[in-house]
Amino acid sequence: MTSFPSSSPQAYEIRVSGHLDARWATRFDGMTLTPTDGGITAIRGVLADQAALHGVLRQLRDAGLPLISVLPLDTRSPS
Amino acid sequence: MTGPLITTKFHVPARRTSSVSRPRLTERLAVGARLVLVAAPAGFGKTSTLTEWLATLGDDTAVAWVSLDERDDDENQFWLYVLSALDRALPGVGTAALDLLSSGTSTVEAVLATLINDLDAHDAEAVLVLDDLHAVDNPAIHAGLGFLVEGLPANVRLVVATRTDPPLSLARLRARGELVELRAADLRFTPDEASRYLNETMGLTVDDDDVKALGDRTEGWIAAIQLAALSLQGRDDAAAFIAGFAGDDRYVVDYLIEEVLQRQDEAVRTFLVETSILSRLTGDLCDAVTGTTGGGGILESLDRANLFLVPLDDRREWYRYHHLFGEMLRARLLDERPERVGELHRRASEWLERDGQTAEAIGHALDGGAYERAAVLILAAMRTMQQHRQEATLVQWLEQLPREVVRATPGLSVGFAGVLLSSGRTDGVEALLNDAEDAVGGDAESIRAVRAGVALYRAAQALTRGDLDTAFRQSATAVELADGGGHIDRGSATGLHGLVLWARGDLVAAEASWATSLDSLYRAGHRSDMIGGSIAMADILLARGRLRDARDVYARGLEVAAEIDPARRGAADMYIGMSEVLREQGDLEGARRQLAAAEGLGEYAGMPQSRHRRRMAAAGLAQAEGDPASAVALLEDAERLYTPDFFPEVRPISALRARMLLAAGRVADATEWVRRRGVAIGDDLSYLREYDHVTLARVLLATGRVDDATRLLERLRDTAEEGKRGGSVLETLVLTSLAHQRAGRTDAALTTLRSAVALAEPEGYLRVFADEGEPMGRLLAALTKRDGSTPYLRRLQTATVGARIPQASRQGLIDPLSDRELDVLRLLGSDLGGPEIARELVISLNTLRTHTKNVYAKLGVTSRREAVRRAAELGLLTSR
């Protein structure tokens, strides 16, 4: 069982509904946007800590983007 | 507040002609419930639904509206707007609460309790709407809202529109049927509503299949359907457009906004993107930002075309962008013209500064990275914001400035340190003060001001740490440096220095420092602070045994309080202090009246400390009137309500309670206090523990440990005399005389009492004698016999014997002891042997034995030691 210390950098994959334009990348500095099947976009990247994660989620909320899932990624094998 | 209130935040949005009427929703809102929650993501028509509902309410329902934004995430600012909104809707309702809020010395609970009372009294139907509550993150604000919701009278409803469920015990309210909710599922357009919107409101021709396709793709999301409608306008190929849209995977808002933007000309597109940085738009401001003209005209045409603008007033002067649209535009700006962003913010900041919207100007300066500019603006706004207790906002701003910028301006470093301290934070304060010292320069006045600030804050920090030596040095420096400054600077420095001196037990110097402070604060116009300082001044005078001067300080405080407003803060504290002086001087009626005046001002009218101080004063009064049991109960209340302040704790409630326990005859409980408090006769004596130790001496007397008590009292008197604490000297003399009496040393008792009376008479002390009851009564009688009667002695005697209920009925025994038996009992409590007791009482040894047998029988004991113990428990050997 891996532990996820909340104050150290961690890679996340956040899935939202709708394919996002490339221009969204500037909003989510340092994260990649990958459109996937079913009209879902996977936003992936390393976030400094919980506060940074909540910051991204808040931006998604304010943009009206329906949130589907938030998963920590094993940094050794980014899929 | 930096600048006046932004009135557009109170504006109740008008019904848009382009909205579809949805009675199915407004009917649900019509159900009476304490809290209405409208929770859904952006673009679901929350605000529109609310405005439709509000329009159905009659004229007799007052509506208070606050449009919240992230700057309202500051407790003071948030409540300022909420209270102001309510006051605008129900004139007069928020006034008292706003007063309390702006005083800065109240708790939010107290402010809200006052508001709730006023709302209840007002009786009119009212609705308070908080739009965009998700902008507020601060848990303290949510706690306050929870308090408000619980206390709302039946005639008031709270309505909240938000993108995030607020932490407001929703489950509990739901279960109690006190919550009405509209959620995304409720707010979505039904196919019928979508059809009506497209075909009737927007004048398009969309058949049922296409409506369904559109609805499926957008899932009834109103913002998306509105955007689709805008895209369909002027198109022949509605069906083709919808098919293309339905078959596309792009995020619907991206797709549709793109569509609509494409149909605008270049100038408008640029306008939209560049002005997206503004939270509120008006023609002039837009022109300043874009560097063009005609902004007003563009806004008007956008408004007429129903494109993305929400009017913020009735005059079509100020607008904002629909939230989603604004988000998209800002994203485009970042993507297309990132290099322009800083410049756009700077222009906005300059215009807003000229317009007097300082807080907005600072926000833009920070957002645009114009840190030097922001620093200048913040520095200028700092004092005003501190006065209005908006420390939270200041801290937020200052934390966004790069360290070098703060460091370069000593005034900012010092101010930042001060604001952190006010917020109860010490992290980084020392570093900031060091920065300020290092960077200090400029003219003599600037240097003085910075050094004075640094010294003051270092002193405050040291004081909270308990490092009195550092606090002394630093506050002394602050006082020196304050000499060239204004009244406020002098008032603060001498006040803090006075506190330090007081805590160190140097009462003479403390008194002098406070006198300067009160004078300076008064001249500076800081009436409330002056009255607050008066409490300290009076406490010091009382410690010094100057009852009359203390009374003058309270009287002056009341005069000053009346100068500002009859019910002004601090008056309650003056009444309470006055009542304690009058009580001591034996004017119990007067003391009662003063206490009633304090109570009449309300629970929250004084400083936060007045809540426990009032109960302490009431306890003293109860005890003087012969009801120590009530006194104990009042002090238990006081302990619960205790809020500490910066004053040294020279009269701990628990010690006062221990004294009342003795008065009530609960000697065992008082002894328990001694154990828990950890006071012992071997302790080092200090001013800060004096009250505890004198209380210990009283307990020792009550438990018959007369010698220990006498020795302790002697030491206490010595330190009190050294420290010029006349009040304590007097009390120790009184107790010492009683100790001598208990030990049978009548001469010593009378000599000591004589000194006490001489000390007490000029100041009019009375209760210090009278509270000791019967034993003191006998001593006073003996003194009168020996020295001759005087008016003062007669007053003391009357007060000492007169108020007491006859001994027998207070004994708590089925078969009370006779006076003679009581005499025997008291001497049983001394170190004297049988023959000596008999000689003392001038009776035969046989008679003594008979009395003793009767005493044991009535007390239900079988030994002398048990008899003494039982007697102490029952308060028969009464002492305090």
Side-chain angles (χ1 to χ4, degrees), chain A residues 19 24 27 61-63, chain B residues 163-164 249 251 254 327 335:
Chain A
H19 285 170
W24 280 88
R27 288 273 229 114
R61 175 196 77 184
D62 288 343
Chain B
R163 297 175 196 163
T164 306
D249 274 337
Y251 175 45
D254 269 354
E327 289 287 330
D335 187 57

Side-chain angles (χ1 to χ4, degrees), chain B residues 163-439:
Chain B
R163 297 175 196 163
T164 306
D165 280 17
L168 285 180
S169 305
L170 298 175
R172 191 153 50 92
L173 290 168
R174 229 177 252 130
R176 290 182 352 210
E178 290 182 318
L179 173 68
V180 165
E181 269 177 293
L182 288 183
R183 308 195 69 89
D186 306 307
L187 290 164
R188 288 181 208 284
F189 264 167
T190 60
D192 171 65
E193 286 167 352
S195 178
R196 267 194 291 141
Y197 173 71
L198 293 163
N199 294 311
E200 288 169 22
T201 312
M202 294 303 276
L204 303 163
T205 320
V206 184
D207 66 38
D208 285 347
D209 286 336
D210 284 335
V211 169
K212 181 169 190 310
L214 202 50
D216 286 347
R217 179 73 178 91
T218 61
E219 293 178 71
W221 190 6
I222 295 177
I225 294 175
Q226 281 177 329
L227 287 167
L230 288 170
S231 300
L232 285 170
Q233 279 179 328
R235 249 191 234 271
D236 304 318
D237 55 343
F241 173 82
I242 291 174
F245 171 51
D248 194 298
D249 274 337
R250 279 177 67 188
Y251 175 45
V252 293
V253 175
D254 269 354
Y255 184 105
L256 292 170
I257 285 184
E258 191 63 45
E259 278 295 315
V260 175
L261 278 178
Q262 294 292 41
R263 306 170 86 208
Q264 311 302 316
D265 63 47
E266 179 74 35
V268 175
R269 261 208 304 282
T270 310
F271 177 91
L272 290 169
V273 165
E274 292 194 335
T275 57
S276 68
I277 59 159
L278 300 168
S279 48
R280 273 183 292 275
L281 297 86
T282 192
D284 262 357
L285 172 55
C286 293
D287 287 341
V289 169
T290 57
T292 60
T293 54
I298 296 182
L299 287 176
E300 259 176 70
S301 61
L302 289 172
D303 187 21
R304 266 182 280 119
N306 273 321
L307 278 170
F308 318 124
L309 284 180
V310 178
L312 294 178
D313 55 32
D314 290 326
R315 289 161 307 173
R316 295 298 201 254
E317 214 177 289
W318 285 90
Y319 298 89
R320 65 166 173 83
Y321 286 122
H322 268 296
H323 292 304
L324 280 177
F325 190 61
E327 289 287 330
M328 297 306 138
L329 289 176
R330 280 188 285 278
R332 282 182 89 95
L333 177 63
L334 266 178
D335 187 57
E336 289 173 10
R337 306 158 207 246
E339 72 290 347
R340 288 277 280 168
V341 174
E343 176 64 18
L344 295 171
H345 277 296
R346 191 184 56 74
R347 291 179 186 172
S349 178
E350 283 170 6
W351 190 96
L352 288 161
E353 182 195 351
R354 279 197 303 275
D355 197 53
Q357 296 186 45
T358 318
E360 314 288 318
I362 293 173
H364 277 288
L366 289 170
D367 285 341
Y371 296 123
E372 261 103 43
R373 181 176 164 68
V376 170
L377 289 172
I378 294 172
L379 190 59
M382 205 173 252
R383 194 149 249 196
T384 321
M385 290 198 68
Q386 278 180 292
Q387 265 174 23
H388 289 98
R389 314 292 157 160
Q390 299 200 281
E391 279 99 11
T393 308
L394 272 174
V395 171
Q396 266 174 42
W397 284 339
L398 289 164
E399 281 176 341
Q400 289 179 62
L401 290 176
R403 201 40 194 277
E404 317 82 65
V405 174
V406 177
R407 202 177 285 138
T409 314
L412 265 185
S413 302
V414 172
F416 197 173
V419 169
L420 283 172
L421 285 174
S422 305
S423 313
R425 287 170 59 174
T426 49
D427 52 299
V429 169
E430 192 50 42
L432 283 164
L433 293 176
N434 287 335
D435 284 348
E437 272 186 323
D438 290 341

Side-chain angles (χ1 to χ4, degrees), chain A residues 57-70:
Chain A
L57 294 178
R58 187 174 228 245
Q59 284 197 64
L60 295 173
R61 175 196 77 184
D62 288 343
L65 281 168
L67 192 59
I68 295 174
S69 69
V70 178

Side-chain angles (χ1 to χ4, degrees), chain B residues 29 33-38 46 50 53-54 57 64-66 126-133 149 152 156-162 180:
Chain B
L29 291 172
R34 188 183 288 269
L35 175 66
V36 174
L37 175 67
V38 182
K46 300 187 285 295
L50 284 178
W53 169 61
L54 287 175
L57 298 177
W65 182 289
V66 184
V127 170
L128 169 64
V129 180
L130 301 177
D131 197 17
D132 289 339
L133 187 60
V149 169
L152 275 183
V156 182
R157 307 173 62 183
L158 176 64
V159 178
V160 161
T162 176
V180 165

